[in-house]
Structures are given as structure tokens and as C-alpha cells.
Amino acid sequence: MTERVHMVPAQTPAIFDDNAGLLRPGAAERADMPVTLIRGAQSLEVTRQINHALAQRLPDAHEVTIGGAGHMSPVTHASETAEAIRSLVEKAEERVNLRGCH
């Protein structure tokens, strides 16, 4: 992780400036895919609030809270995080199969 920390400031336009327009009214509501919003139970309260607000806007969002984890759940609770991601992938695959897409 430390060898990639220099990448964090490079994300500023995407995160703070919303250069892709993802936060404009109606953008999230048009998302046509399952979304899993993962947070650690020990994360800051603002993380829960953000995930909840996103879940209200995204049509097929599912919130997952990993008990005992903080902000770095992929590192500290890898298996639980992987299970949440695995469930998301399975849901996406089911959707693709139902649509007859390959």
C-alpha cells in the first residue's frame, strides 16, 4: 500500500470536483447494476451516513456492515469483505444470465 500512497492526491478531481458528474441530480438513480456499499462497523459515522444516502439514490444498492472492522476492512477483515464482493458478483452474474447477455 505504501508504494501507491502517491496516488491518493491524484484522485482529488474525481472525489472532490465530481468531474464525472456522478453527483448531479438523477445520475445515480439511472445506475443499472447492483451495488454493494461496504463499511466497517467501527468506521466514522459519516461513512454510515454517506452509504445510507447513496443507497437511497441507487436503485439496486445493498448495504453491508462488517462487524469489528474500521475503514480498512479489506485489509483487516479480508474474508468478510471478499464475501460481500462475492455476493455482489453473483448477483450481477444472475442479472446478466436473466437478460440473456454473455
Side-chain angles (χ1 to χ4, degrees):
M1 265 177 30
T2 57
E3 69 259 4
R4 291 195 169 80
V5 75
H6 68 279
M7 297 173 70
V8 173
Q11 305 310 309
T12 297
I15 296 170
F16 294 104
D17 301 335
D18 188 31
N19 61 349
L22 297 175
L23 299 177
R24 71 179 177 270
E29 291 78 2
R30 289 191 303 270
D32 187 25
M33 77 289 272
V35 175
T36 297
L37 303 164
I38 303 170
R39 72 176 185 88
Q42 304 304 314
S43 294
L44 296 175
E45 173 62 15
V46 69
T47 306
R48 185 196 64 75
Q49 293 171 359
I50 291 168
N51 279 7
H52 184 71
L54 286 169
Q56 298 302 305
R57 293 185 63 195
L58 293 162
D60 193 6
H62 175 69
E63 293 182 75
V64 173
T65 302
I66 299 178
H71 179 68
M72 296 301 293
S73 61
V75 175
T76 62
H77 293 71
S79 59
E80 294 93 333
T81 303
E83 182 55 38
I85 295 168
R86 186 176 301 109
S87 294
L88 172 65
V89 170
E90 288 171 358
K91 187 174 184 178
E93 287 174 341
E94 287 172 12
R95 181 175 291 181
V96 167
N97 290 335
L98 286 175
R99 290 182 180 174
C101 304
H102 297 287

